Short mmCIF file of all heavy atoms in Angstrom, two decimals:
data_model
loop_
_atom_site.label_atom_id
_atom_site.label_comp_id
_atom_site.label_asym_id
_atom_site.label_seq_id
_atom_site.Cartn_x
_atom_site.Cartn_y
_atom_site.Cartn_z
N GLY A 297 -43.19 -49.44 -62.44
CA GLY A 297 -41.90 -48.93 -62.13
C GLY A 297 -40.95 -49.20 -63.26
O GLY A 297 -41.25 -49.86 -64.25
N LEU A 298 -39.72 -48.63 -63.13
CA LEU A 298 -38.65 -48.83 -64.07
C LEU A 298 -37.67 -49.86 -63.72
O LEU A 298 -37.38 -50.11 -62.59
CB LEU A 298 -37.96 -47.39 -64.21
CG LEU A 298 -38.85 -46.13 -64.56
CD1 LEU A 298 -38.01 -44.92 -64.72
CD2 LEU A 298 -39.75 -46.32 -65.75
N SER A 299 -36.97 -50.28 -64.74
CA SER A 299 -35.91 -51.22 -64.59
C SER A 299 -34.66 -50.54 -63.97
O SER A 299 -34.66 -49.21 -63.94
CB SER A 299 -35.49 -51.94 -65.88
OG SER A 299 -34.96 -51.01 -66.82
N ASP A 300 -33.72 -51.29 -63.56
CA ASP A 300 -32.44 -50.64 -62.90
C ASP A 300 -31.84 -49.61 -63.91
O ASP A 300 -31.44 -48.51 -63.51
CB ASP A 300 -31.57 -51.70 -62.48
CG ASP A 300 -32.11 -52.56 -61.45
OD1 ASP A 300 -33.12 -52.16 -60.83
OD2 ASP A 300 -31.42 -53.58 -61.06
N THR A 301 -31.65 -50.04 -65.19
CA THR A 301 -30.95 -49.15 -66.07
C THR A 301 -31.72 -47.95 -66.40
O THR A 301 -31.22 -46.82 -66.62
CB THR A 301 -30.70 -49.85 -67.39
OG1 THR A 301 -31.87 -50.48 -67.93
CG2 THR A 301 -29.65 -51.08 -67.18
N GLN A 302 -33.13 -48.15 -66.44
CA GLN A 302 -33.93 -47.00 -66.72
C GLN A 302 -33.95 -45.94 -65.57
O GLN A 302 -33.95 -44.76 -65.71
CB GLN A 302 -35.39 -47.38 -67.02
CG GLN A 302 -35.57 -48.20 -68.30
CD GLN A 302 -36.79 -48.94 -68.39
OE1 GLN A 302 -37.63 -48.83 -67.50
NE2 GLN A 302 -37.04 -49.76 -69.51
N VAL A 303 -33.94 -46.39 -64.24
CA VAL A 303 -33.77 -45.59 -63.02
C VAL A 303 -32.48 -44.87 -63.16
O VAL A 303 -32.41 -43.64 -62.87
CB VAL A 303 -33.96 -46.48 -61.84
CG1 VAL A 303 -33.58 -45.55 -60.57
CG2 VAL A 303 -35.28 -47.06 -61.66
N THR A 304 -31.39 -45.55 -63.58
CA THR A 304 -30.10 -44.95 -63.56
C THR A 304 -30.06 -43.86 -64.67
O THR A 304 -29.47 -42.79 -64.48
CB THR A 304 -29.09 -46.05 -63.96
OG1 THR A 304 -29.18 -47.06 -63.11
CG2 THR A 304 -27.67 -45.44 -63.91
N ALA A 305 -30.80 -44.06 -65.77
CA ALA A 305 -31.00 -43.06 -66.91
C ALA A 305 -31.64 -41.82 -66.26
O ALA A 305 -31.32 -40.65 -66.59
CB ALA A 305 -31.64 -43.63 -68.01
N VAL A 306 -32.78 -42.00 -65.55
CA VAL A 306 -33.45 -40.93 -64.96
C VAL A 306 -32.54 -40.00 -64.01
O VAL A 306 -32.58 -38.82 -63.95
CB VAL A 306 -34.68 -41.34 -64.25
CG1 VAL A 306 -35.37 -40.19 -63.49
CG2 VAL A 306 -35.69 -41.93 -65.30
N VAL A 307 -31.80 -40.74 -63.20
CA VAL A 307 -30.94 -40.02 -62.26
C VAL A 307 -29.78 -39.42 -63.07
O VAL A 307 -29.33 -38.28 -62.72
CB VAL A 307 -30.23 -41.09 -61.34
CG1 VAL A 307 -29.11 -40.45 -60.47
CG2 VAL A 307 -31.33 -41.64 -60.44
N ALA A 308 -29.28 -39.94 -64.14
CA ALA A 308 -28.46 -39.17 -65.05
C ALA A 308 -29.04 -37.84 -65.57
O ALA A 308 -28.29 -36.93 -65.62
CB ALA A 308 -28.02 -40.15 -66.22
N HIS A 309 -30.27 -37.98 -65.85
CA HIS A 309 -30.96 -36.72 -66.25
C HIS A 309 -30.94 -35.65 -65.19
O HIS A 309 -30.61 -34.53 -65.38
CB HIS A 309 -32.39 -37.12 -66.73
CG HIS A 309 -33.30 -35.87 -66.91
ND1 HIS A 309 -33.44 -35.21 -68.10
CD2 HIS A 309 -34.06 -35.24 -65.97
CE1 HIS A 309 -34.32 -34.20 -67.95
NE2 HIS A 309 -34.67 -34.19 -66.67
N GLU A 310 -31.19 -36.14 -63.89
CA GLU A 310 -31.18 -35.23 -62.72
C GLU A 310 -29.76 -34.69 -62.55
O GLU A 310 -29.52 -33.55 -62.19
CB GLU A 310 -31.71 -35.87 -61.52
CG GLU A 310 -33.21 -36.34 -61.66
CD GLU A 310 -34.12 -35.27 -62.05
OE1 GLU A 310 -33.96 -34.03 -61.68
OE2 GLU A 310 -35.11 -35.52 -62.89
N LEU A 311 -28.79 -35.61 -62.74
CA LEU A 311 -27.46 -35.10 -62.66
C LEU A 311 -27.14 -33.97 -63.61
O LEU A 311 -26.23 -33.04 -63.41
CB LEU A 311 -26.42 -36.26 -62.72
CG LEU A 311 -26.36 -37.21 -61.60
CD1 LEU A 311 -25.59 -38.42 -61.98
CD2 LEU A 311 -25.79 -36.53 -60.36
N GLY A 312 -27.75 -34.09 -64.90
CA GLY A 312 -27.63 -32.96 -65.86
C GLY A 312 -28.07 -31.67 -65.34
O GLY A 312 -27.36 -30.60 -65.65
N HIS A 313 -29.25 -31.64 -64.64
CA HIS A 313 -29.55 -30.43 -63.98
C HIS A 313 -28.56 -29.82 -63.01
O HIS A 313 -28.26 -28.57 -63.01
CB HIS A 313 -30.91 -30.54 -63.16
CG HIS A 313 -32.15 -30.75 -64.16
ND1 HIS A 313 -32.52 -29.95 -65.00
CD2 HIS A 313 -33.00 -31.79 -64.14
CE1 HIS A 313 -33.64 -30.37 -65.67
NE2 HIS A 313 -33.95 -31.50 -65.08
N TRP A 314 -28.06 -30.75 -62.22
CA TRP A 314 -26.93 -30.32 -61.34
C TRP A 314 -25.71 -29.85 -62.03
O TRP A 314 -25.11 -28.78 -61.77
CB TRP A 314 -26.54 -31.47 -60.38
CG TRP A 314 -25.28 -31.18 -59.61
CD1 TRP A 314 -25.07 -30.32 -58.58
CD2 TRP A 314 -24.06 -31.94 -59.69
NE1 TRP A 314 -23.77 -30.45 -58.10
CE2 TRP A 314 -23.22 -31.37 -58.74
CE3 TRP A 314 -23.65 -32.89 -60.59
CZ2 TRP A 314 -21.80 -31.82 -58.63
CZ3 TRP A 314 -22.33 -33.37 -60.44
CH2 TRP A 314 -21.42 -32.79 -59.56
N ARG A 315 -25.21 -30.63 -63.00
CA ARG A 315 -23.97 -30.23 -63.78
C ARG A 315 -24.09 -28.90 -64.58
O ARG A 315 -23.10 -28.22 -64.57
CB ARG A 315 -23.64 -31.43 -64.70
CG ARG A 315 -22.40 -31.15 -65.61
CD ARG A 315 -21.18 -30.94 -64.75
NE ARG A 315 -20.73 -32.17 -64.02
CZ ARG A 315 -19.78 -32.24 -63.22
NH1 ARG A 315 -19.13 -31.18 -62.92
NH2 ARG A 315 -19.46 -33.25 -62.60
N HIS A 316 -25.29 -28.68 -65.16
CA HIS A 316 -25.45 -27.37 -65.82
C HIS A 316 -25.82 -26.20 -64.93
O HIS A 316 -25.99 -25.13 -65.44
CB HIS A 316 -26.54 -27.53 -66.84
CG HIS A 316 -26.06 -28.40 -68.06
ND1 HIS A 316 -25.28 -27.91 -69.08
CD2 HIS A 316 -26.34 -29.64 -68.47
CE1 HIS A 316 -25.01 -28.76 -69.97
NE2 HIS A 316 -25.70 -29.92 -69.58
N GLY A 317 -25.90 -26.43 -63.61
CA GLY A 317 -26.26 -25.38 -62.74
C GLY A 317 -27.54 -24.74 -62.91
O GLY A 317 -27.76 -23.63 -62.72
N HIS A 318 -28.53 -25.62 -63.22
CA HIS A 318 -30.01 -25.07 -63.43
C HIS A 318 -30.56 -24.48 -62.23
O HIS A 318 -31.33 -23.52 -62.25
CB HIS A 318 -30.82 -26.19 -64.01
CG HIS A 318 -30.45 -26.60 -65.33
ND1 HIS A 318 -30.76 -27.81 -65.91
CD2 HIS A 318 -29.68 -26.03 -66.31
CE1 HIS A 318 -30.33 -27.94 -67.22
NE2 HIS A 318 -29.69 -26.85 -67.47
N PHE A 319 -30.20 -25.01 -61.01
CA PHE A 319 -30.72 -24.49 -59.83
C PHE A 319 -30.32 -23.00 -59.65
O PHE A 319 -31.16 -22.20 -59.27
CB PHE A 319 -30.38 -25.31 -58.63
CG PHE A 319 -30.84 -24.76 -57.30
CD1 PHE A 319 -32.16 -25.10 -56.94
CD2 PHE A 319 -30.10 -24.02 -56.48
CE1 PHE A 319 -32.70 -24.56 -55.67
CE2 PHE A 319 -30.56 -23.57 -55.27
CZ PHE A 319 -31.84 -23.81 -54.86
N TYR A 320 -29.05 -22.70 -59.84
CA TYR A 320 -28.56 -21.36 -59.66
C TYR A 320 -29.18 -20.51 -60.69
O TYR A 320 -29.47 -19.31 -60.50
CB TYR A 320 -26.94 -21.40 -59.80
CG TYR A 320 -26.35 -22.17 -58.72
CD1 TYR A 320 -25.84 -23.39 -59.02
CD2 TYR A 320 -26.21 -21.83 -57.43
CE1 TYR A 320 -25.20 -24.21 -58.04
CE2 TYR A 320 -25.61 -22.48 -56.45
CZ TYR A 320 -25.08 -23.75 -56.76
OH TYR A 320 -24.49 -24.56 -55.73
N LYS A 321 -29.19 -20.89 -61.93
CA LYS A 321 -29.77 -20.13 -62.97
C LYS A 321 -31.17 -19.78 -62.81
O LYS A 321 -31.54 -18.67 -63.05
CB LYS A 321 -29.56 -20.82 -64.43
CG LYS A 321 -28.13 -21.02 -64.86
CD LYS A 321 -28.03 -21.88 -66.11
CE LYS A 321 -26.60 -22.00 -66.48
NZ LYS A 321 -26.44 -22.95 -67.71
N ALA A 322 -31.97 -20.78 -62.35
CA ALA A 322 -33.34 -20.49 -62.02
C ALA A 322 -33.39 -19.56 -60.86
O ALA A 322 -34.42 -18.64 -60.81
CB ALA A 322 -34.10 -21.86 -61.73
N LEU A 323 -32.60 -19.66 -59.89
CA LEU A 323 -32.75 -18.78 -58.72
C LEU A 323 -32.34 -17.29 -59.16
O LEU A 323 -33.12 -16.35 -58.71
CB LEU A 323 -31.67 -19.23 -57.65
CG LEU A 323 -31.65 -18.44 -56.37
CD1 LEU A 323 -33.06 -18.62 -55.66
CD2 LEU A 323 -30.64 -19.06 -55.45
N VAL A 324 -31.29 -17.07 -59.91
CA VAL A 324 -30.99 -15.73 -60.36
C VAL A 324 -32.07 -15.10 -61.18
O VAL A 324 -32.48 -14.02 -61.11
CB VAL A 324 -29.65 -15.79 -61.19
CG1 VAL A 324 -29.35 -14.46 -61.81
CG2 VAL A 324 -28.43 -16.18 -60.20
N THR A 325 -32.63 -15.95 -62.14
CA THR A 325 -33.68 -15.44 -62.95
C THR A 325 -34.92 -15.08 -62.19
O THR A 325 -35.49 -14.10 -62.44
CB THR A 325 -34.12 -16.60 -64.07
OG1 THR A 325 -33.03 -17.01 -64.81
CG2 THR A 325 -35.13 -16.14 -64.98
N PHE A 326 -35.15 -15.94 -61.19
CA PHE A 326 -36.43 -15.56 -60.33
C PHE A 326 -36.16 -14.33 -59.52
O PHE A 326 -37.15 -13.44 -59.43
CB PHE A 326 -36.66 -16.69 -59.32
CG PHE A 326 -37.75 -16.40 -58.24
CD1 PHE A 326 -39.04 -16.43 -58.78
CD2 PHE A 326 -37.37 -16.07 -56.96
CE1 PHE A 326 -40.07 -16.16 -57.74
CE2 PHE A 326 -38.36 -15.82 -56.07
CZ PHE A 326 -39.68 -15.76 -56.50
N GLN A 327 -34.92 -14.14 -59.11
CA GLN A 327 -34.72 -12.84 -58.28
C GLN A 327 -34.82 -11.60 -59.21
O GLN A 327 -35.26 -10.49 -58.76
CB GLN A 327 -33.28 -12.91 -57.69
CG GLN A 327 -33.14 -13.96 -56.56
CD GLN A 327 -34.11 -13.61 -55.41
OE1 GLN A 327 -34.37 -12.43 -55.01
NE2 GLN A 327 -34.79 -14.68 -54.92
N LEU A 328 -34.34 -11.80 -60.47
CA LEU A 328 -34.47 -10.61 -61.51
C LEU A 328 -35.90 -10.42 -61.74
O LEU A 328 -36.24 -9.22 -61.78
CB LEU A 328 -33.67 -10.95 -62.67
CG LEU A 328 -32.13 -11.02 -62.67
CD1 LEU A 328 -31.58 -11.52 -63.95
CD2 LEU A 328 -31.51 -9.55 -62.22
N HIS A 329 -36.67 -11.42 -61.92
CA HIS A 329 -38.06 -11.31 -62.14
C HIS A 329 -38.78 -10.66 -60.95
O HIS A 329 -39.55 -9.83 -61.09
CB HIS A 329 -38.69 -12.71 -62.45
CG HIS A 329 -40.15 -12.79 -62.26
ND1 HIS A 329 -41.11 -12.03 -62.80
CD2 HIS A 329 -40.89 -13.54 -61.26
CE1 HIS A 329 -42.34 -12.39 -62.36
NE2 HIS A 329 -42.14 -13.13 -61.51
N LEU A 330 -38.43 -11.08 -59.68
CA LEU A 330 -38.95 -10.56 -58.53
C LEU A 330 -38.65 -8.98 -58.41
O LEU A 330 -39.54 -8.20 -58.10
CB LEU A 330 -38.40 -11.32 -57.25
CG LEU A 330 -38.98 -10.89 -55.94
CD1 LEU A 330 -40.55 -11.05 -55.95
CD2 LEU A 330 -38.34 -11.59 -54.77
N ALA A 331 -37.47 -8.59 -58.67
CA ALA A 331 -37.01 -7.21 -58.51
C ALA A 331 -37.71 -6.36 -59.54
O ALA A 331 -38.26 -5.24 -59.25
CB ALA A 331 -35.49 -7.14 -58.78
N LEU A 332 -37.83 -6.84 -60.76
CA LEU A 332 -38.56 -6.09 -61.85
C LEU A 332 -40.06 -5.95 -61.46
O LEU A 332 -40.71 -4.90 -61.78
CB LEU A 332 -38.44 -6.73 -63.21
CG LEU A 332 -39.03 -6.02 -64.31
CD1 LEU A 332 -38.55 -4.59 -64.51
CD2 LEU A 332 -38.78 -6.78 -65.62
N THR A 333 -40.69 -7.05 -60.95
CA THR A 333 -42.01 -7.09 -60.47
C THR A 333 -42.33 -5.99 -59.43
O THR A 333 -43.25 -5.22 -59.49
CB THR A 333 -42.51 -8.43 -60.01
OG1 THR A 333 -42.27 -9.39 -61.08
CG2 THR A 333 -43.94 -8.50 -59.66
N ILE A 334 -41.50 -5.96 -58.33
CA ILE A 334 -41.68 -5.05 -57.31
C ILE A 334 -41.49 -3.67 -57.84
O ILE A 334 -42.17 -2.67 -57.38
CB ILE A 334 -40.60 -5.39 -56.26
CG1 ILE A 334 -40.86 -6.81 -55.58
CG2 ILE A 334 -40.65 -4.31 -55.13
CD1 ILE A 334 -42.33 -6.84 -54.88
N LEU A 335 -40.48 -3.48 -58.69
CA LEU A 335 -40.29 -2.08 -59.27
C LEU A 335 -41.53 -1.57 -59.99
O LEU A 335 -41.93 -0.42 -59.87
CB LEU A 335 -39.00 -2.16 -60.15
CG LEU A 335 -38.72 -0.84 -60.90
CD1 LEU A 335 -38.38 0.37 -59.87
CD2 LEU A 335 -37.57 -1.01 -61.89
N LEU A 336 -42.09 -2.32 -60.95
CA LEU A 336 -43.25 -2.06 -61.65
C LEU A 336 -44.43 -1.81 -60.70
O LEU A 336 -45.19 -0.85 -60.79
CB LEU A 336 -43.63 -3.07 -62.70
CG LEU A 336 -42.60 -3.35 -63.71
CD1 LEU A 336 -43.10 -4.51 -64.67
CD2 LEU A 336 -42.58 -2.03 -64.63
N PHE A 337 -44.57 -2.56 -59.68
CA PHE A 337 -45.62 -2.47 -58.70
C PHE A 337 -45.35 -1.11 -57.90
O PHE A 337 -46.37 -0.29 -57.67
CB PHE A 337 -45.53 -3.57 -57.62
CG PHE A 337 -46.44 -3.42 -56.47
CD1 PHE A 337 -47.78 -3.57 -56.52
CD2 PHE A 337 -45.95 -3.01 -55.27
CE1 PHE A 337 -48.66 -3.41 -55.43
CE2 PHE A 337 -46.75 -2.81 -54.20
CZ PHE A 337 -48.11 -3.03 -54.25
N ALA A 338 -44.17 -0.82 -57.57
CA ALA A 338 -43.91 0.42 -56.87
C ALA A 338 -44.29 1.69 -57.68
O ALA A 338 -44.74 2.69 -57.17
CB ALA A 338 -42.53 0.57 -56.45
N LEU A 339 -44.17 1.51 -58.99
CA LEU A 339 -44.45 2.66 -59.97
C LEU A 339 -45.97 2.93 -60.05
O LEU A 339 -46.39 4.07 -60.10
CB LEU A 339 -43.83 2.46 -61.29
CG LEU A 339 -42.38 2.50 -61.39
CD1 LEU A 339 -41.90 2.09 -62.77
CD2 LEU A 339 -41.76 3.77 -61.04
#
């Protein structure tokens, strides 16, 4: 396992995902990909 400061550094990395809105960006990208996939499939 990691020391206390190393665990805190890992949590700081995860906070970076939250601060940069990566969850929302990934969600929007996935929805665009899904819409394009269904459109091509329908064709």
